[in-house]
């Protein structure tokens, strides 16, 4: 799975208006750490939960969550495995198709741009067409396995890291 590059200075406008009814996107707060990381581990596995742990190690946190009916339904991290990297990100299987993944991506990439980055790397991409369409991402040649070379995987690698 190759890495992709996003020009943060050319991001589209935030897309929360496409969200289904009652869904909100926001930055996770430190007191939510155990709840959020536990949900990620249960839903997506220990590897992504480990990266989410790292996202809570700064203030402000580097993790955005999607909430519906006071429950977590998605998340997106940035600057966790390496500075300038977006991911991991995931949306509850039952909530897909409501614009949540797109809104999380744009919100997280916007936070990176506001921090001062001009570009972001999406590491080990699964759904390349999604990232091309939503953020104008382009594949980085010869980027497999990239930064993840030699990494121990506690469980099967989820698609779309």
């Amino acid at each position: 799975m190759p890495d992709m590059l996003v020009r943060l200075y050319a991001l589209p406008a935030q897309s929360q208006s496409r969200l289904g009814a009652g869904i909100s996107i926001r930055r996770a707060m430190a007191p939510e750490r155990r709840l959020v990381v536990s949900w990620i581990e249960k839903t997506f596995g220990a590897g992504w939960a480990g990266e989410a742990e790292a996202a809570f190690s700064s203030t402000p946190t580097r993790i955005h969550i999607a909430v519906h009916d006071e429950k977590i339904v998605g998340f997106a991290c940035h600057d966790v495995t390496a500075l300038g990297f977006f991911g991991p990100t995931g949306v509850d299987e039952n909530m897909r198709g409501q614009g949540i993944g797109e809104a999380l991506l744009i919100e997280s990439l916007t936070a990176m741009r506001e921090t001062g980055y001009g570009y972001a790397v999406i590491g080990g991409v699964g759904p390349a067409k999604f990232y091309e369409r939503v953020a104008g991402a382009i594949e980085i040649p010869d980027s497999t396995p990239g930064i993840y070379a030699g990494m121990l995987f506690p469980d099967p690698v989820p698609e779309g890291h």
Side-chain angles (χ1 to χ4, degrees):
M1 296 183 292
D3 294 342
M4 296 185 85
L5 186 69
V6 177
R7 297 173 303 146
L8 296 178
Y9 53 83
L11 282 178
Q14 293 180 332
S15 61
Q16 291 196 25
S17 62
R18 281 199 59 233
L19 289 173
I23 301 169
S24 62
I25 307 293
R26 64 174 174 78
R27 196 179 290 262
M29 295 181 283
E32 298 171 312
R33 179 183 194 142
R34 289 178 190 230
L35 178 68
V36 171
V37 171
S38 176
W39 179 84
I40 293 170
E41 184 163 9
K42 178 181 161 207
T43 310
F44 297 101
W48 284 9
E51 289 177 288
E53 283 277 349
F56 278 97
S57 67
S58 70
T59 302
T61 64
R62 296 179 310 256
I63 182 168
H64 288 80
I65 56 174
V67 178
H68 180 256
D69 291 335
E70 298 183 27
K71 293 186 176 130
I72 304 163
V73 295
F75 79 102
C77 299
H78 65 276
D79 285 339
V80 292
T81 298
L83 293 177
F85 269 64
F86 168 82
T89 185
V91 175
D92 183 283
E93 198 173 312
N94 297 319
M95 296 296 291
R96 293 179 185 163
Q98 298 186 58
I100 296 169
E102 185 174 320
L104 283 164
L105 173 65
I106 297 300
E107 192 74 22
S108 192
L109 292 176
T110 298
M112 293 177 76
R113 181 182 63 204
E114 290 170 354
T115 299
Y117 291 105
Y119 295 89
V121 174
I122 304 172
V125 168
K129 295 288 185 206
F130 169 78
Y131 292 115
E132 287 174 22
R133 178 180 58 80
V134 175
I138 58 171
E139 185 175 323
I140 301 172
D142 302 320
S143 60
T144 303
I147 196 167
Y148 301 102
M151 187 174 114
L152 301 175
F153 291 97
D155 40 35
V157 179
E159 188 169 313
H161 188 273

